[in-house]
Amino acid sequence: MKFRFALSAGALAALLLLPSPGEAFPLEKFHAANALYDQGNFSGAIAGYEGLLSSGTQDYRAYYNLANAYYRDKKIGYAFLNLLRAQRLAPRDDDIRTNLAFLKQQALDKFPQLPDPVGSLWRPLALNELAWLFSLFYFLTIGSFAAWRFRVYPVRVFRWGAVTFGLVALIFLGLLYGKYQSDYAQDHGVVIAQQVEVKSGPGEDFLTQFTGHEGLTLTVLQMRPDWYEALFPNGVKGWVKKETVELL
Amino acid sequence: MRNLLVFFLTVVLVTPAVAQDVQFKASADKPVASLSDQIAFTITISGSGQQLPQPQLPDLSSFTVFSSGQSQNFSFVNGVMHTEVSYTYVLLPKSEGRFTIGPAEITIGGRTYRTAPVTIEVSQKAVSPPAGGGQHDRYTREQVQSGLADLFLKAAVDKKAPYVGEQVTLSLKFYQAVRLFDQPQYQAPALTGFWQEPLGNWTRSSEVVNGKHYAVHEMKIALFPTQPGRQTVGSASIQCTVEDLERFFSRDPFDQFGADLRSFFNQGQTKILRTDPITLEVRPLPEAGKPGSFSGAVGNFTLQGACDRTSVPVGQPVTLKMTISGTGNLKAIAEPKLPELSDFRTYASGSSEKIEHAGNRIAGTKTFEEVLIPKAPGKFQVPAITLSFFDPARGKYQTVKAGPFVITATGSAEQIASLPASGEGTPVVASDLRYLKTNADHLSGSAQPVIFRLWFWGLQLVPLLGLGGLVAYQKHQWKLATDVGYARSRRAHRMAKKRLATALDLIGINGQKEFFAEVSKAVLLYVADKFNTSTYGMTTPEMEDFLKTKGVSPELVKRLTELLTSCDLAKFAPTYVTQTDMKKKLDEAEEMIVSLEGVRR
């Protein structure tokens, strides 16, 4: 008990004393990895970015650069994976969008993009942005409601303000929920093996439904110790071996 | 009997009965046939009873098989019904040789019957006797030539010995002099070893052959042999149904009833017309005089080249458009090779082709686009581009040229770095990943979304709590303003404390009388305020009763009355009370007020 307390106290002290993530130290790592990339040392750059990301930094630029390095290192699956991670953090970034389109062109499996009119409502906004937008309008709603309740002049304006802000807050709450359901409640993944056989059941003896390749995206529906059941962009539901897939 | 479906009779007469005295036979209408002959293969089942199952066919993989129909015959002999069913198949031999058609099988009443095997000999050119009841074979070549046939199909080519890649026009003609019952079904010839391009659809005309008028349907196909040597244009076939006139004239006088039914149910007669395969001797292209730049183009072509502009800033693209037009196997033409251009970056930007048929020749244009981006400013020459092709009409190779082209690049060398933004008319030059993001002076830490953090939802509670507090405060204010009792009760404790504080001050200045008066007043007024009543003139028992109705515990009431009585005594009795005792009384009063505070109003 005492030992545990001492340990957590020590950890706390360490947290307070060490430079917090996002300070000069990771930034130096970032620039060092960029320099390695420029020299054509892509595996070195990959190690640099991966080290940076595993030590707490979660910046979209690091994911974006890592994806670039993976592509140059001919690992298109990992390039997809990290670019998708970057896009999750910065959904409106033009470079990410352009590179994703480029990677899709390079990928062996080309499936037509299914139209998703509902999803496009929340796609341009990150989860945090939606959360803060909801929060902002929620605060405005409560504020206007209070002003109306306590007869602050102009009372009518505050009343309509409360209604309008309330509706906007509800819309953002809905979008937040939608985004959460589509991107976070389900696990998404990318095929990282060069080739993967999509089976009709969790075992090698099942029928191969189709053969997918590096960079194929999927949504995980079910997990088994060694297998994932997933939905693929061509509408096929099938099982793939866990080690051939990396989750976002 | 053949080609007859007494369908409704079967439907009407079928009652469950097991067939007996089964006879099961298979026969071919001719034992010897040529490759172009049709063989009628008939399987007949007969027996008493009405239900005869369908036989299982033997292996017929050596032939192309068409089902030609089923006929059924019923007869009553001595009150027993006799049924005979025939299935007829038209066989077209696929190759020469001796073929044995194995037994067909049928199971009736738990017994399996097998037919005897049938042997057919197929030779390259068998003289098939027109006699022998070969109804599928009535139109032999001799008959066609003598103008007897009502229907025939003819295939012809315009060249027998083309070069590899030279166009051969295959013409298929379907001659028709009788009414057809249905849409003829055309089966294209096998054309392995050729690249084919249809020259339009079926056209209709009329022709007189040996004094007989025919409607002629013609289709032409352009063929380009892809390999030298002996190449075969397979046989095309047409299946159609004609009126079966013969039956009317061969009427059996004892079959009156049957014949009438037949004409009523006349389904017509199915005919299959086939062309003979055509063999071409394809000549290889001569090796003599073959130019180095030759890449398989055969025909007659022209080459044009043009740059979309002649002067561009450095780093901006110029599109060189190469157009090949003419007649021949355009699809086989590859992009003319550009020489090594050290002053430019080059990208193949696309190709398009437009193929049409001028008359019976395949012709058209093929366009290739090449994007050139000057690397440095200056005036550069792109050498002439060449196209070599073999002209089969002249029997020799030709080379055509376009260019050279002069391109002037303006501006400075720095401009090379930036690739052009794709604007109007500028092609997207080459796609690659966009470069790294390097302009970071701060990297963000956690990527865990705020909605997974407790503090975020805690923060959302703040305005609600604030609002709740405000509402409660407003309610309190409102009550203070409108409810005297509430206001008094809220004030009671404060006032009592104030009075007790005054009493405490009196201890020091020895005002014993005033002290006890103040304590008693503090307690009495507290009770009055707390319960919103008046305690002036209330006797002690009255007070007791009142407090009891307010739900104050009897023990507390007792202590309260004792305190008030002792205060009254000390007020009027001249006994000396020590400061400690006074302090005690004060504490007692204070305690009492605290206890009363817990009582609901």
Side-chain angles (χ1 to χ4, degrees):
Chain A
M1 192 66 204
K2 227 172 192 176
F3 172 69
R4 194 182 265 181
F5 171 76
L7 200 72
S8 57
L12 191 70
L15 272 178
L16 291 173
L17 290 173
L18 282 176
S20 65
E23 291 304 307
F25 183 50
L27 201 59
E28 273 162 26
K29 266 188 175 175
F30 178 72
H31 288 306
N34 287 353
L36 285 173
Y37 180 97
D38 284 345
Q39 289 157 22
N41 182 354
F42 301 122
S43 50
I46 290 171
Y49 295 126
E50 289 280 21
L52 181 66
L53 289 165
S54 61
S55 66
T57 300
Q58 297 283 307
D59 196 276
Y60 75 96
R61 288 164 290 204
Y63 280 119
Y64 171 89
N65 290 3
L66 176 60
N68 265 28
Y70 269 125
Y71 174 76
R72 301 280 178 223
D73 208 31
K74 308 266 181 283
K75 285 181 184 138
I76 201 168
Y78 280 104
F80 252 111
L81 180 76
N82 287 294
L83 210 45
L84 287 172
R85 283 175 176 159
Q87 194 174 43
R88 201 175 252 195
L89 297 172
R92 291 182 304 283
D93 189 277
D94 186 49
D95 290 337
I96 295 176
R97 206 180 311 138
T98 311
N99 280 4
L100 260 182
F102 175 78
L103 282 185
K104 273 182 189 155
Q105 260 179 15
Q106 305 281 310
L108 283 171
D109 303 305
K110 290 188 176 63
F111 299 120
Q113 188 87 48
L114 296 175
D116 180 14
V118 184
S120 59
L121 290 175
W122 56 69
R123 192 158 305 120
L125 291 164
L127 193 70
N128 272 357
E129 289 169 334
L130 282 169
W132 285 119
L133 277 167
F134 156 71
S135 189
L136 171 70
F137 281 96
Y138 164 75
F139 271 70
L140 285 171
T141 307
I142 302 288
S144 307
F145 178 78
W148 167 66
R149 183 74 167 64
F150 295 107
R151 311 271 158 217
V152 177
Y153 184 80
V155 177
R156 282 169 67 94
V157 172
F158 281 116
R159 192 175 65 185
W160 285 112
V163 171
T164 316
F165 289 139
L167 284 176
V168 176
L170 273 180
I171 288 170
F172 279 120
L173 189 63
L175 291 179
L176 181 66
Y177 182 73
K179 180 94 180 173
Y180 166 75
Q181 279 298 329
S182 79
D183 286 8
Y184 292 83
Q186 292 174 309
D187 273 312
H188 297 270
V190 177
V191 170
I192 45 135
Q194 283 203 337
Q195 198 169 309
V196 65
E197 288 187 339
V198 179
K199 298 279 186 185
S200 62
E204 295 284 8
D205 297 336
F206 285 95
L207 181 82
T208 301
Q209 291 177 298
F210 72 97
T211 303
H213 299 90
E214 246 184 324
L216 180 64
T217 54
L218 52 93
T219 305
V220 176
L221 304 172
Q222 208 190 122
M223 291 186 187
R224 289 279 176 89
D226 293 324
W227 293 82
Y228 286 135
E229 190 191 22
L231 183 66
F232 292 88
N234 55 355
V236 172
K237 248 191 203 180
W239 293 80
V240 284
K241 277 201 139 174
K242 234 175 192 170
E243 68 257 23
T244 59
V245 169
E246 192 80 34
L247 298 186
L248 241 64
Chain B
M1 215 194 299
R2 291 192 48 247
N3 267 357
L4 178 74
L5 278 169
V6 196
F7 178 69
F8 95 89
L9 276 182
T10 17
V11 171
V12 169
L13 292 176
V14 161
T15 49
V18 177
Q20 284 160 11
D21 317 331
V22 178
Q23 281 199 313
F24 189 39
K25 287 183 297 187
S27 64
D29 65 337
K30 50 174 96 75
V32 179
S34 77
L35 262 179
S36 56
D37 275 344
Q38 302 169 4
I39 301 149
F41 178 68
T42 310
I43 297 171
T44 312
I45 314 146
S46 63
S48 52
Q50 299 98 31
Q51 279 194 325
L52 295 173
Q54 193 145 6
Q56 208 172 351
L57 274 184
D59 175 32
L60 292 169
S61 55
S62 317
F63 303 91
T64 310
V65 184
F66 296 89
S67 172
S68 141
Q70 174 189 357
S71 73
Q72 200 155 8
N73 195 20
F74 301 96
S75 58
F76 283 91
V77 178
N78 296 331
V80 177
M81 185 159 155
H82 194 80
T83 313
E84 184 175 293
V85 189
S86 310
Y87 299 91
T88 305
Y89 302 91
V90 176
L91 310 182
L92 307 182
K94 285 178 178 169
S95 58
E96 293 170 48
R98 197 182 157 86
F99 301 104
T100 302
I101 301 172
E105 272 184 29
I106 197 166
T107 306
I108 300 168
R111 248 196 86 184
T112 304
Y113 300 86
R114 284 191 181 83
T115 61
V118 176
T119 307
I120 295 167
E121 188 146 351
V122 180
S123 60
Q124 180 76 26
K125 274 273 184 273
V127 186
S128 56
Q135 285 170 344
H136 284 274
D137 195 31
R138 281 185 304 148
Y139 305 118
T140 57
R141 202 164 316 282
E142 296 76 44
Q143 285 169 312
V144 169
Q145 275 152 11
S146 63
L148 278 172
D150 292 329
L151 289 169
F152 58 94
L153 184 62
K154 231 172 74 176
V157 290
D158 63 343
K159 269 187 209 89
K160 284 276 190 185
Y163 284 105
V164 168
E166 185 184 359
Q167 184 183 332
V168 179
T169 310
L170 169 70
S171 153
L172 290 169
K173 279 182 163 177
F174 174 45
Y175 289 79
Q176 178 202 346
V178 285
R179 193 158 68 94
L180 293 182
F181 263 33
D182 58 4
Q183 187 71 27
Q185 280 170 23
Y186 163 69
Q187 210 166 5
L191 291 168
T192 43
F194 298 95
W195 165 54
Q196 50 170 316
E197 187 78 22
L199 292 162
N201 231 319
W202 292 92
T203 57
R204 204 191 145 105
S205 60
S206 64
E207 216 173 283
V208 177
V209 181
N210 289 348
K212 195 162 184 173
H213 274 275
Y214 287 94
V216 180
H217 306 267
E218 187 179 14
M219 183 162 76
K220 284 183 172 165
I221 304 169
L223 305 176
F224 295 89
T226 52
Q227 281 155 14
R230 182 175 285 202
Q231 301 289 345
T232 308
V233 177
S235 69
S237 67
I238 279 183
Q239 181 181 3
C240 55
T241 311
V242 294
E243 206 165 355
D244 196 357
L245 293 168
E246 184 193 308
R247 192 154 291 137
F248 275 135
F249 305 116
S250 65
R251 190 181 282 182
D252 179 353
F254 298 105
D255 199 13
Q256 193 67 42
F257 170 71
D260 283 349
L261 260 181
R262 278 174 205 146
S263 63
F264 180 72
F265 289 106
N266 196 347
Q267 297 287 306
Q269 190 180 15
T270 307
K271 294 210 170 292
I272 294 154
L273 312 167
R274 290 217 302 181
T275 64
D276 286 334
I278 301 169
T279 306
L280 302 180
E281 286 294 338
V282 181
R283 287 183 280 172
L285 297 176
E287 284 301 319
K290 191 186 263 187
S293 59
F294 177 75
S295 67
V298 178
N300 194 359
F301 304 101
T302 59
L303 174 66
Q304 282 177 317
C307 289
D308 62 342
R309 42 192 170 162
T310 53
S311 174
V312 284
V314 166
Q316 293 282 316
V318 179
T319 306
L320 172 60
K321 199 170 169 181
M322 295 166 274
T323 308
I324 299 161
S325 46
T327 56
N329 60 346
L330 268 166
K331 278 197 176 161
I333 294 180
E335 178 168 3
K337 270 208 186 87
L338 276 184
E340 276 298 309
L341 297 170
S342 55
D343 301 318
F344 297 93
R345 281 188 289 179
T346 59
Y347 304 97
S349 146
S351 74
S352 63
E353 61 184 16
K354 203 175 131 195
I355 290 189
E356 51 205 17
H357 16 93
N360 289 331
R361 313 303 302 174
I362 291 290
T365 54
K366 199 163 183 174
T367 309
F368 297 98
E369 283 185 354
E370 193 81 19
V371 173
L372 309 175
I373 302 169
K375 289 180 181 171
K379 195 169 179 177
F380 304 105
Q381 194 179 44
V382 179
I385 45 172
T386 59
L387 171 74
S388 300
F389 57 89
F390 179 74
D391 186 348
R394 293 186 212 176
K396 60 181 183 183
Y397 292 98
Q398 309 239 328
T399 300
V400 287
K401 278 187 185 188
F405 312 96
V406 175
I407 295 167
T408 311
T410 58
S412 63
E414 283 90 71
Q415 281 171 282
I416 310 163
S418 61
L419 273 177
S422 65
E424 199 190 49
T426 352
V428 173
V429 170
S431 52
D432 193 7
L433 279 187
R434 287 201 185 167
Y435 184 64
L436 301 184
K437 289 184 183 293
T438 51
N439 52 341
D441 44 17
H442 169 81
L443 294 174
S444 32
S446 170
Q448 181 161 28
V450 288
I451 62 160
F452 300 127
R453 303 293 186 86
L454 203 61
W455 61 257
F456 177 78
W457 297 107
L459 185 66
Q460 308 310 310
L461 282 179
V462 169
L464 271 189
L465 293 175
L467 185 69
L470 270 173
V471 169
Y473 176 72
Q474 193 201 29
K475 251 192 182 151
H476 168 71
Q477 291 294 319
W478 177 251
K479 234 173 175 180
L480 281 183
T482 54
D483 187 342
V484 183
Y486 179 76
R488 277 184 76 183
S489 150
R490 296 293 299 184
R491 218 168 47 210
H493 190 226
R494 201 157 20 104
M495 298 291 280
K497 271 192 122 170
K498 219 170 168 182
R499 287 195 189 101
L500 289 178
T502 317
L504 185 64
D505 290 344
L506 289 171
I507 298 177
I509 50 168
N510 264 346
Q512 186 185 330
K513 233 182 189 173
E514 288 80 2
F515 168 78
F516 282 108
E518 201 62 35
V519 170
S520 146
K521 204 165 120 195
V523 173
L524 276 174
L525 283 178
Y526 173 76
V527 170
D529 280 345
K530 169 93 185 170
F531 299 108
N532 190 23
T533 183
S534 168
T535 44
Y536 284 112
M538 214 183 246
T539 63
T540 311
E542 272 172 357
M543 170 80 85
E544 258 176 78
D545 284 345
F546 173 76
L547 285 175
K548 273 177 186 157
T549 59
K550 287 291 174 186
V552 181
S553 69
E555 195 251 344
L556 188 59
V557 174
K558 197 175 156 226
R559 273 171 58 207
L560 190 82
T561 44
E562 269 171 15
L563 176 76
L564 287 175
T565 317
S566 67
C567 280
D568 281 347
L569 274 176
K571 221 156 59 176
F572 301 112
T575 48
Y576 177 77
V577 183
T578 59
Q579 283 201 0
T580 333
D581 280 347
M582 283 202 267
K583 204 82 174 270
K584 228 178 183 173
K585 273 278 165 307
L586 195 68
D587 288 345
E588 212 177 306
E590 218 162 306
E591 194 192 318
M592 207 130 331
I593 284 164
V594 169
S595 300
L596 277 173
E597 190 76 341
V599 178
R600 284 182 63 88
R601 194 158 68 88

